[in-house]
mmCIF file of all heavy atoms in Angstrom:
data_model
loop_
_atom_site.group_PDB
_atom_site.id
_atom_site.type_symbol
_atom_site.label_atom_id
_atom_site.label_comp_id
_atom_site.label_asym_id
_atom_site.label_seq_id
_atom_site.Cartn_x
_atom_site.Cartn_y
_atom_site.Cartn_z
ATOM 1 N N ASP G 154 -25.627 -25.458 -75.219
ATOM 2 C CA ASP G 154 -26.285 -25.216 -73.921
ATOM 3 C C ASP G 154 -25.658 -25.966 -72.751
ATOM 4 O O ASP G 154 -26.217 -26.015 -71.659
ATOM 5 C CB ASP G 154 -27.796 -25.561 -73.962
ATOM 6 C CG ASP G 154 -28.471 -24.814 -75.081
ATOM 7 O OD1 ASP G 154 -28.095 -23.636 -75.287
ATOM 8 O OD2 ASP G 154 -29.329 -25.402 -75.762
ATOM 9 N N HIS G 155 -24.508 -26.560 -72.977
ATOM 10 C CA HIS G 155 -23.844 -27.250 -71.858
ATOM 11 C C HIS G 155 -23.216 -26.206 -70.944
ATOM 12 O O HIS G 155 -22.649 -25.211 -71.423
ATOM 13 C CB HIS G 155 -22.759 -28.186 -72.410
ATOM 14 C CG HIS G 155 -22.190 -29.109 -71.369
ATOM 15 N ND1 HIS G 155 -21.217 -28.696 -70.497
ATOM 16 C CD2 HIS G 155 -22.487 -30.405 -71.062
ATOM 17 C CE1 HIS G 155 -20.920 -29.710 -69.686
ATOM 18 N NE2 HIS G 155 -21.678 -30.762 -70.018
ATOM 19 N N PRO G 156 -23.320 -26.397 -69.633
ATOM 20 C CA PRO G 156 -22.771 -25.378 -68.714
ATOM 21 C C PRO G 156 -21.273 -25.136 -68.917
ATOM 22 O O PRO G 156 -20.775 -24.071 -68.545
ATOM 23 C CB PRO G 156 -23.046 -25.954 -67.319
ATOM 24 C CG PRO G 156 -23.680 -27.270 -67.505
ATOM 25 C CD PRO G 156 -24.026 -27.466 -68.929
ATOM 26 N N ALA G 157 -20.579 -26.095 -69.540
ATOM 27 C CA ALA G 157 -19.144 -25.888 -69.758
ATOM 28 C C ALA G 157 -18.867 -24.631 -70.578
ATOM 29 O O ALA G 157 -17.817 -24.007 -70.446
ATOM 30 C CB ALA G 157 -18.537 -27.100 -70.459
ATOM 31 N N ARG G 158 -19.823 -24.229 -71.415
ATOM 32 C CA ARG G 158 -19.609 -23.015 -72.218
ATOM 33 C C ARG G 158 -19.479 -21.774 -71.327
ATOM 34 O O ARG G 158 -18.894 -20.788 -71.733
ATOM 35 C CB ARG G 158 -20.755 -22.820 -73.210
ATOM 36 C CG ARG G 158 -20.675 -23.805 -74.353
ATOM 37 C CD ARG G 158 -21.752 -23.547 -75.390
ATOM 38 N NE ARG G 158 -21.757 -24.614 -76.385
ATOM 39 C CZ ARG G 158 -21.487 -24.436 -77.671
ATOM 40 N NH1 ARG G 158 -21.236 -23.243 -78.130
ATOM 41 N NH2 ARG G 158 -21.501 -25.457 -78.494
ATOM 42 N N ASP G 159 -20.064 -21.848 -70.154
ATOM 43 C CA ASP G 159 -19.975 -20.701 -69.240
ATOM 44 C C ASP G 159 -18.596 -20.573 -68.602
ATOM 45 O O ASP G 159 -18.284 -19.559 -67.975
ATOM 46 C CB ASP G 159 -21.010 -20.824 -68.106
ATOM 47 C CG ASP G 159 -22.425 -20.731 -68.651
ATOM 48 O OD1 ASP G 159 -22.574 -20.180 -69.766
ATOM 49 O OD2 ASP G 159 -23.353 -21.211 -67.972
ATOM 50 N N MET G 160 -17.775 -21.632 -68.758
ATOM 51 C CA MET G 160 -16.428 -21.552 -68.194
ATOM 52 C C MET G 160 -15.648 -20.390 -68.835
ATOM 53 O O MET G 160 -14.689 -19.895 -68.281
ATOM 54 C CB MET G 160 -15.652 -22.848 -68.464
ATOM 55 C CG MET G 160 -16.045 -24.028 -67.571
ATOM 56 S SD MET G 160 -15.393 -25.579 -68.214
ATOM 57 C CE MET G 160 -13.679 -25.505 -67.766
ATOM 58 N N GLN G 161 -16.055 -20.016 -70.029
ATOM 59 C CA GLN G 161 -15.269 -19.032 -70.767
ATOM 60 C C GLN G 161 -16.186 -17.911 -71.250
ATOM 61 O O GLN G 161 -17.072 -18.134 -72.062
ATOM 62 C CB GLN G 161 -14.598 -19.722 -71.950
ATOM 63 C CG GLN G 161 -13.984 -21.047 -71.510
ATOM 64 C CD GLN G 161 -12.932 -21.568 -72.439
ATOM 65 O OE1 GLN G 161 -12.979 -21.324 -73.632
ATOM 66 N NE2 GLN G 161 -11.974 -22.272 -71.880
ATOM 67 N N ASP G 162 -15.976 -16.725 -70.720
ATOM 68 C CA ASP G 162 -16.825 -15.589 -71.109
ATOM 69 C C ASP G 162 -16.393 -15.077 -72.473
ATOM 70 O O ASP G 162 -15.281 -14.596 -72.624
ATOM 71 C CB ASP G 162 -16.688 -14.470 -70.076
ATOM 72 C CG ASP G 162 -17.070 -14.961 -68.700
ATOM 73 O OD1 ASP G 162 -18.206 -15.412 -68.537
ATOM 74 O OD2 ASP G 162 -16.204 -14.913 -67.802
ATOM 75 N N THR G 163 -17.304 -15.180 -73.414
ATOM 76 C CA THR G 163 -16.913 -14.987 -74.811
ATOM 77 C C THR G 163 -17.273 -13.593 -75.330
ATOM 78 O O THR G 163 -18.341 -13.077 -75.036
ATOM 79 C CB THR G 163 -17.630 -16.053 -75.670
ATOM 80 O OG1 THR G 163 -17.407 -17.315 -75.060
ATOM 81 C CG2 THR G 163 -17.119 -16.053 -77.090
ATOM 82 N N PHE G 164 -16.385 -13.016 -76.141
ATOM 83 C CA PHE G 164 -16.702 -11.798 -76.901
ATOM 84 C C PHE G 164 -17.265 -12.223 -78.257
ATOM 85 O O PHE G 164 -16.528 -12.701 -79.117
ATOM 86 C CB PHE G 164 -15.427 -10.993 -77.192
ATOM 87 C CG PHE G 164 -14.904 -10.192 -76.037
ATOM 88 C CD1 PHE G 164 -13.616 -10.413 -75.551
ATOM 89 C CD2 PHE G 164 -15.655 -9.162 -75.478
ATOM 90 C CE1 PHE G 164 -13.101 -9.650 -74.508
ATOM 91 C CE2 PHE G 164 -15.147 -8.390 -74.428
ATOM 92 C CZ PHE G 164 -13.869 -8.641 -73.948
ATOM 93 N N PHE G 165 -18.582 -12.082 -78.428
ATOM 94 C CA PHE G 165 -19.172 -12.466 -79.715
ATOM 95 C C PHE G 165 -19.077 -11.318 -80.715
ATOM 96 O O PHE G 165 -19.215 -10.154 -80.358
ATOM 97 C CB PHE G 165 -20.641 -12.874 -79.532
ATOM 98 C CG PHE G 165 -20.764 -14.224 -78.881
ATOM 99 C CD1 PHE G 165 -20.985 -14.337 -77.516
ATOM 100 C CD2 PHE G 165 -20.620 -15.374 -79.644
ATOM 101 C CE1 PHE G 165 -21.063 -15.583 -76.913
ATOM 102 C CE2 PHE G 165 -20.707 -16.627 -79.047
ATOM 103 C CZ PHE G 165 -20.922 -16.727 -77.676
ATOM 104 N N ILE G 166 -18.856 -11.675 -81.973
ATOM 105 C CA ILE G 166 -18.831 -10.674 -83.045
ATOM 106 C C ILE G 166 -20.141 -10.749 -83.822
ATOM 107 O O ILE G 166 -20.722 -9.741 -84.201
ATOM 108 C CB ILE G 166 -17.618 -10.923 -83.968
ATOM 109 C CG1 ILE G 166 -16.323 -10.638 -83.191
ATOM 110 C CG2 ILE G 166 -17.680 -10.044 -85.214
ATOM 111 C CD1 ILE G 166 -15.070 -10.973 -83.946
#
Side-chain angles (χ1 to χ4, degrees):
D154 305 322
H155 190 279
R158 286 184 187 243
D159 294 339
M160 284 166 76
Q161 315 200 330
D162 302 301
T163 310
F164 282 121
F165 286 97
I166 293 174

